[in-house]
Amino acid sequence: MLKLMIILLLAHIPFSSEPNDEGAYSFFSKMLEDAEKCLENFINENPSDLAKELYQIANLAASEAEFYEAKSVKSNASIAVKPFLLLSEAIFKLNDSQEKFLRSLPNPAAYQDARDALASMIAAIEQIEMAINQIEEIEFWNGLKFDTSEIREDLIRAKRLVSYYESLLEKFEVEGIFVSVSKDKPFIYEQIAIYVHAVKVEPRNLFIDGKAYEVKRVFLHRFDELGMHKIWAEGLKDGEVVRSNVVYVEVIKIPTKINLFWKNAYINEEVKLKGLLLDYYGNPIDAEILLEFDSNSKKIDTRNGLFELPLRKEKEGYLNVSAFYKGNETYESSKAEASIFFSRFPVYIKIDADKDDVEINESVNFLGSISIDANVSVFVNSEKKMDLDASRNFNFSLSFDKAGEYIVFVYFPGNDTYKPSESNRVKIVVKEPKIPIIFILIAAALFSSLGSLMLRKELKKDKKFEEAKVLKEEKKEREEIPKDVSKAYEVLFRNLAKKYGLSLALTPRELLEFLKNEPFYEKLKKITEMHEMYAYAGREIDKEAYFRMIEEI
């Protein structure tokens, strides 16, 4: 994520009519705030990992800037990187030296270690001041400049603390002459500071590899040969020559680094691995690079530090590439690795249904589109229903024999070239068939008429039996309402016919017509409708209300 952010900050946007540096300005302003916090931690003698993190971020930003600069793509952001890298490096060294100094100070035997740490802090302070001077010169678009007032105040306080450390060290010092260096493992041609401190001794000469130099409090020197170098100083005390401690400085080759840049690709697609060879100071190096990949190797010469290698892979997977620079008498060797992922091509599938709310066994038509011609499978609720040879546009139909909700999707299993893929999911709701109300009324009328005809026929056949039955019913007390819908209606019908002297051959609707002026008419009408819905249409009714109204009538 951070690497991507840096690329966005540093990339040149040629089509921008009004350049805008606000993103880069915000990024480096945050770095400046962190640098201020690190100095505050130094002043409070409270070391933290922030100095190390700041140095790592600055190095990452510098790597990106160096790559674009080598391609002649420059921006204000790439200019700002270098002084901020210098600042973060000095702050890291300052905090590290403080920790060494505080560890060594209480131990008289570690006096020389404490003095070396003090020398390193002095050098770091000078480097911080140099970086701040350079940062103040940076000006972004729209006149944006960095406010260094707070970090300068912190630097003044840091200098005072270093001066205090120097005076504190004097309380532990012993007579003699002492040599310390700002860096005991410098690069070839790198300038270091050599400090000579004498207590009750008159300094005379500083020796570097046996060659005498005039003694200065701070002596600047560069080594042009690799290997171990011996440094000491001599002075006079009471007319006798006094020799200092011996400091060994190991001069090493200038470190180098290879920055690799790439993007992942699809199989058989050409991708260019780009690289940049730099020395420690960010200078491009023209040299030979050895690249190894897939049991192959290739040598490439850099131009202004840049090189690139076109690569392909026929199957999905990572292609690991190693880049080597063997170094020379000045530069150290370096190595970098890249893992480029070549993936199969994606497949896009989409389906639509012509309807999503159907009845049992009603057909649903699906239209689909797919980005390739392929064999796919149709799934319903995760169960495969059919296979299809799908072209760019395809269709299929489904029906469902049970009510419920169904999820339909199409799946492509993938192959050596294309990734597996699944379409969007379509929900189909299947319901029981609906019986139109007109059919219910017709059925009710037919059943009522049929019942009336049959009843009249029976009465004609046995009129005497019916009259005897009526007389028998009249003698019985009021009947109890049975808990059966049809039987309960028969009891109600019979009692009403008896009370109003009506024929039992009437239909329920005819009975209702005769009693339309009675106060219970609305209840009887509701009971009749509920009875018809239950008896003829087979639909559920509110039985509790049904039996209650019969009781009330």
Side-chain angles (χ1 to χ4, degrees):
M1 179 61 74
L2 177 61
K3 190 169 185 178
L4 176 60
M5 180 180 69
I6 300 299
I7 291 174
L8 291 174
L9 287 175
L10 303 180
H12 180 62
I13 308 177
F15 54 80
S16 176
S17 59
E18 295 184 3
N20 192 324
D21 283 334
E22 288 184 6
Y25 178 76
S26 176
F27 174 77
F28 288 112
S29 293
K30 178 62 170 61
M31 287 188 67
L32 191 59
E33 289 176 10
D34 289 343
E36 292 166 6
K37 291 177 184 177
C38 290
L39 276 181
E40 289 173 4
N41 291 337
F42 172 80
I43 294 164
N44 296 324
E45 295 184 340
N46 182 29
S48 70
D49 291 333
L50 183 59
K52 183 178 180 180
E53 292 171 6
L54 180 66
Y55 187 39
Q56 290 173 339
I57 291 172
N59 270 287
L60 181 56
S63 296
E64 298 292 343
E66 289 159 353
F67 177 75
Y68 285 103
E69 192 171 349
K71 296 181 69 176
S72 299
V73 178
K74 292 187 178 182
S75 68
N76 287 329
S78 63
I79 295 170
V81 163
K82 292 182 179 179
F84 274 92
L85 179 61
L86 183 68
L87 175 66
S88 64
E89 180 184 45
I91 286 177
F92 177 67
K93 183 165 64 175
L94 181 68
N95 281 265
D96 187 57
S97 301
Q98 184 185 47
E99 288 187 44
K100 292 177 181 177
F101 179 83
L102 295 176
R103 284 198 307 267
S104 305
L105 189 60
N107 183 7
Y111 173 78
Q112 186 59 49
D113 292 337
R115 183 154 290 283
D116 290 343
L118 180 65
S120 183
M121 280 190 279
I122 293 171
I125 289 288
E126 292 175 353
Q127 187 175 331
I128 291 171
E129 190 161 28
M130 185 188 304
I132 293 174
N133 291 338
Q134 294 177 13
I135 289 171
E136 288 177 340
E137 297 299 319
I138 300 170
E139 183 173 351
F140 285 174
W141 290 99
N142 303 324
L144 294 173
K145 298 192 73 172
F146 295 104
D147 181 3
T148 60
S149 57
E150 287 191 23
I151 196 169
R152 279 208 177 274
E153 289 179 6
D154 290 333
L155 183 62
I156 291 171
R157 294 163 62 199
K159 286 180 178 179
R160 289 173 185 165
L161 181 60
V162 172
S163 296
Y164 169 73
Y165 285 160
E166 195 167 11
S167 63
L168 192 62
L169 195 58
E170 291 175 358
K171 297 178 181 180
F172 296 90
E173 65 185 10
V174 293
E175 293 182 2
I177 185 169
F178 305 93
V179 173
S180 57
V181 295
S182 61
K183 192 172 184 179
D184 59 4
K185 203 170 184 178
F187 311 134
I188 190 169
Y189 309 125
E190 180 183 6
Q191 181 175 277
I192 67 168
I194 304 171
Y195 302 91
V196 178
H197 181 71
V199 180
K200 296 183 180 180
V201 173
E202 181 186 352
R204 296 294 298 272
N205 293 299
L206 172 67
F207 292 90
I208 302 175
D209 294 330
K211 183 178 179 180
Y213 295 88
E214 180 185 351
V215 173
K216 296 179 182 179
R217 180 172 173 77
V218 180
F219 185 87
L220 302 179
H221 186 74
R222 286 186 174 89
F223 294 93
D224 56 8
E225 291 184 8
L226 301 171
M228 298 298 296
H229 296 266
K230 186 176 179 181
I231 303 173
W232 74 93
E234 290 181 354
L236 292 177
K237 180 185 179 183
D238 300 331
E240 294 184 3
V241 176
V242 178
R243 189 171 185 180
S244 73
N245 60 303
V246 176
V247 176
Y248 290 95
V249 173
E250 182 184 3
V251 178
I252 60 175
K253 293 180 180 181
I254 301 173
T256 62
K257 59 181 176 180
I258 302 173
N259 293 329
L260 296 178
F261 305 88
W262 71 93
K263 65 175 182 178
N264 295 328
Y266 294 117
I267 54 176
N268 289 317
E269 181 183 10
E270 181 179 280
V271 59
K272 290 185 177 180
L273 174 69
K274 299 180 180 181
L276 177 63
L277 176 63
L278 301 168
D279 68 10
Y280 176 82
Y281 304 103
N283 301 313
I285 303 172
D286 286 336
E288 184 181 78
I289 300 292
L290 175 64
L291 293 156
E292 294 183 350
F293 54 96
D294 266 357
S295 302
N296 297 318
S297 63
K298 186 172 184 178
K299 293 180 180 180
I300 298 178
D301 291 327
T302 66
R303 289 189 176 183
N304 198 27
L306 286 167
F307 63 92
E308 67 177 41
L309 176 68
L311 295 166
R312 292 179 186 271
K313 188 174 175 65
E314 295 179 354
K315 294 183 178 180
E316 186 176 65
Y318 284 97
L319 177 62
N320 297 316
V321 184
S322 296
F324 300 93
Y325 167 58
K326 67 179 181 180
N328 56 25
E329 65 279 358
T330 301
Y331 291 115
E332 186 60 79
S333 62
S334 56
K335 176 183 177 181
E337 294 182 344
S339 291
I340 306 170
F341 186 73
F342 289 83
S343 65
R344 290 177 285 174
F345 291 92
V347 174
Y348 303 99
I349 311 173
K350 187 178 186 300
I351 59 171
D352 290 298
D354 64 345
K355 48 196 166 185
D356 56 12
D357 193 341
V358 297
E359 295 182 358
I360 290 174
N361 293 323
E362 184 178 353
S363 182
V364 181
N365 298 316
F366 292 84
L367 293 176
S369 60
I370 184 170
S371 56
I372 61 170
D373 294 343
N375 184 268
V376 299
S377 300
V378 177
F379 283 80
V380 177
N381 288 351
S382 299
E383 179 184 350
K384 186 164 80 167
K385 290 297 183 181
M386 67 178 79
D387 291 322
L388 296 172
D389 287 327
S391 58
R392 297 304 172 100
N393 295 294
F394 61 94
N395 61 80
F396 60 94
S397 298
L398 292 172
S399 60
F400 308 88
D401 58 6
K402 291 182 181 178
E405 290 188 355
Y406 296 86
I407 301 298
V408 181
F409 63 93
V410 172
Y411 177 72
F412 169 62
N415 54 32
D416 290 342
T417 304
Y418 296 98
K419 294 179 181 179
S421 180
E422 183 180 299
S423 74
N424 58 305
R425 297 186 169 218
V426 176
K427 182 170 76 172
I428 305 296
V429 178
V430 180
K431 298 179 180 179
E432 297 282 356
K434 297 178 182 178
I435 301 177
I437 189 67
I438 186 64
F439 292 148
I440 295 173
L441 295 175
I442 292 171
L446 287 173
F447 278 113
S448 297
S449 299
L450 181 60
S452 178
L453 290 170
M454 292 178 67
L455 184 58
R456 286 183 179 132
K457 188 175 181 180
E458 290 296 322
L459 286 174
K460 288 178 181 179
K461 286 182 179 179
D462 200 353
K463 187 175 181 181
K464 291 182 179 180
F465 176 80
E466 183 61 30
E467 291 174 348
K469 184 176 180 183
V470 171
L471 290 172
K472 184 178 179 182
E473 291 292 330
E474 288 176 350
K475 293 178 182 179
K476 292 177 66 177
E477 294 180 0
R478 183 185 176 195
E479 295 178 40
E480 211 172 294
I481 304 299
K483 295 302 180 183
D484 180 88
V485 173
S486 297
K487 291 179 180 180
Y489 184 81
E490 288 176 6
V491 170
L492 177 65
F493 185 98
R494 191 165 53 245
N495 276 277
L496 289 173
K498 173 184 174 182
K499 181 175 180 178
Y500 290 92
L502 301 173
S503 172
L504 292 175
L506 295 174
T507 66
R509 292 285 173 174
E510 289 171 341
L511 175 67
L512 190 62
E513 179 65 18
F514 274 111
L515 301 177
K516 65 181 179 181
N517 294 321
E518 296 300 320
F520 54 82
Y521 171 79
E522 290 299 327
K523 287 185 180 179
L524 181 61
K525 180 182 178 184
K526 182 67 176 175
I527 291 169
T528 303
E529 290 173 350
M530 294 174 74
H531 176 257
E532 288 174 348
M533 295 294 288
Y534 182 87
Y536 305 136
R539 297 179 64 179
E540 289 296 322
I541 63 173
D542 186 349
K543 292 181 180 179
E544 183 178 349
Y546 177 78
F547 291 123
R548 185 181 69 251
M549 288 188 291
I550 290 177
E551 287 283 352
E552 290 171 356
I553 293 175

